[in-house]
Amino acid sequence: MKIGAMVESFRLGFKGGVEKAASLGIEGIQAYATYGELAPENMTEDKIRETLDIVKSNGLVFSALCGDFGHGFMNADENKIYVEKSKRVLDLAKKLDCNVVTTHIGTVPAEENETKEIMRKACRELAEYADSVGAAFAVETGPETGKVLGEFLDSLGAGGVRVNFDPANLVMCVDDRPENALQYIGKYVVHTHAKDGIMLKKRVEAAVAIGEEAKEHKAMLEMGHKYLELPLGEGDVNFDVYLPALAATGYNGFLTIEREVGGNPVADIELAVNFLREKIAKFNLK
């Protein structure tokens, strides 16, 4: 497996993030393409060439683009807009020598209802478009269990919508073990996020045992917070179980570090790189 990082997690701008990733020996980067300088409407042919040169000259590739517009696909009228916007992100990804666009589609209902059918229609259209260009939209895990997501993907009848597997989202948001979720969605995984965290209500008695960052999480829970992202190895993702289970699905792609919080993201990412290298060596995941 290969190690990547979200370029935004460095908080150094695109070029600075790429250069820092390269200095850590990371092999790939993921970047947002829904706003800012990498949004499709801002990416002229010259800008595409410049962006690719920044990445390739630093010895990296795009592991994926992030095409999450923050709306999901649960509203039929809005879907007409965001399905087309998503297609343009995938078109850009292909120009950047990348075949994966990650996204959030909203929470898939467990039961059959109108919302689920609206989501299915949008995702089927995205899947068919991705199939036509030899790429994939990868749904990020977390809002629902692996079983619910797997059954939904099975119902699409097209392979172009797949999975961006985020183990922390599963434990933080729906109390689903990553290794169990892989039984249902392992065949769909084309990209992953390397992230860790806890569901607060499960760890309220363990505040002082899980690192400085989490000491106040009882107070956070009382304020309505439901989960807490933590550095790799400090949360409830058991990487010694999860990574071998991931490898058993046949996946051999990127473990892309995502660090959305914390006061020193560069240091946290460096720790995560070393953590993942140890696990890759330990379980012979090269």
Side-chain angles (χ1 to χ4, degrees):
M1 295 184 189
K2 296 167 284 189
I3 299 174
M6 288 285 298
V7 71
E8 288 81 10
S9 291
F10 290 103
R11 303 179 207 166
L12 297 171
F14 180 76
K15 189 171 186 290
V18 170
E19 291 173 347
K20 177 56 69 171
S23 75
L24 296 176
I26 288 172
E27 299 169 83
I29 54 103
Q30 182 182 8
Y32 271 83
T34 55
Y35 63 88
E37 59 180 310
L38 266 67
E41 62 269 22
N42 297 327
M43 293 293 281
T44 63
E45 293 302 317
D46 285 345
K47 182 65 174 176
I48 289 170
R49 284 192 293 270
E50 176 189 345
T51 301
L52 266 177
D53 181 66
I54 291 171
V55 174
K56 290 184 175 182
S57 66
N58 280 282
L60 304 177
V61 299
F62 280 102
S63 66
L65 292 187
C66 181
D68 178 17
F69 287 93
H71 288 267
F73 296 102
M74 304 175 76
N75 181 292
D77 291 331
E78 290 184 348
N79 285 355
K80 298 173 184 177
I81 298 170
Y82 291 106
V83 165
E84 289 305 314
K85 284 180 175 286
S86 296
K87 290 178 182 178
R88 301 294 77 79
V89 175
L90 190 58
D91 292 340
L92 174 62
K94 295 291 288 186
K95 292 178 181 179
L96 293 172
D97 296 338
C98 175
N99 291 325
V100 178
V101 170
T102 69
T103 189
H104 287 82
I105 62 172
T107 303
V108 178
E111 70 286 350
E112 288 295 331
N113 56 27
E114 182 181 3
T115 297
K116 193 169 188 176
E117 186 55 34
I118 288 171
M119 297 176 74
R120 183 179 287 118
K121 182 179 178 181
C123 288
R124 186 173 287 127
E125 182 176 349
L126 289 174
E128 290 172 351
Y129 187 78
D131 281 343
S132 74
V133 298
F137 287 101
V139 179
E140 186 158 335
T141 53
E144 62 288 304
T145 65
K147 184 176 187 295
V148 170
L149 180 57
E151 291 172 349
F152 177 75
L153 295 178
D154 289 344
S155 76
L156 296 182
V161 168
R162 302 184 75 80
V163 167
N164 176 48
F165 198 91
D166 188 316
N169 285 354
L170 288 165
V171 302
M172 292 191 302
C173 301
V174 290
D175 195 22
D176 193 11
R177 298 306 311 164
E179 54 273 17
N180 293 338
L182 285 168
Q183 298 177 45
Y184 303 100
I185 55 179
K187 63 185 176 181
Y188 290 112
V189 177
V190 292
H191 190 262
T192 78
H193 281 163
K195 197 166 75 181
D196 206 349
I198 58 172
M199 179 181 281
L200 289 176
K201 68 180 182 180
K202 292 189 69 179
R203 295 293 292 271
V204 73
E205 300 302 325
V208 297
I210 56 176
E212 289 291 325
E213 192 169 328
K215 281 187 177 179
E216 301 301 321
H217 77 275
K218 183 174 182 179
M220 293 176 65
L221 180 59
E222 290 170 349
M223 289 188 291
H225 297 278
K226 296 181 179 179
Y227 57 81
L228 181 68
E229 183 191 325
L230 293 166
L232 296 194
E234 290 192 24
D236 283 342
V237 177
N238 187 336
F239 284 88
D240 283 355
V241 175
Y242 158 58
L243 289 177
L246 179 64
T249 69
Y251 182 77
N252 194 32
F254 277 95
L255 306 170
T256 297
I257 298 161
E258 183 180 32
R259 185 65 172 142
E260 298 182 289
V261 298
N264 193 343
V266 173
D268 288 343
I269 293 168
E270 186 170 5
L271 287 171
V273 170
N274 293 330
F275 178 90
L276 291 174
R277 283 178 178 150
E278 290 174 3
K279 299 302 181 185
I280 287 171
K282 179 177 180 179
F283 296 108
N284 194 27
L285 301 177
K286 297 179 180 180

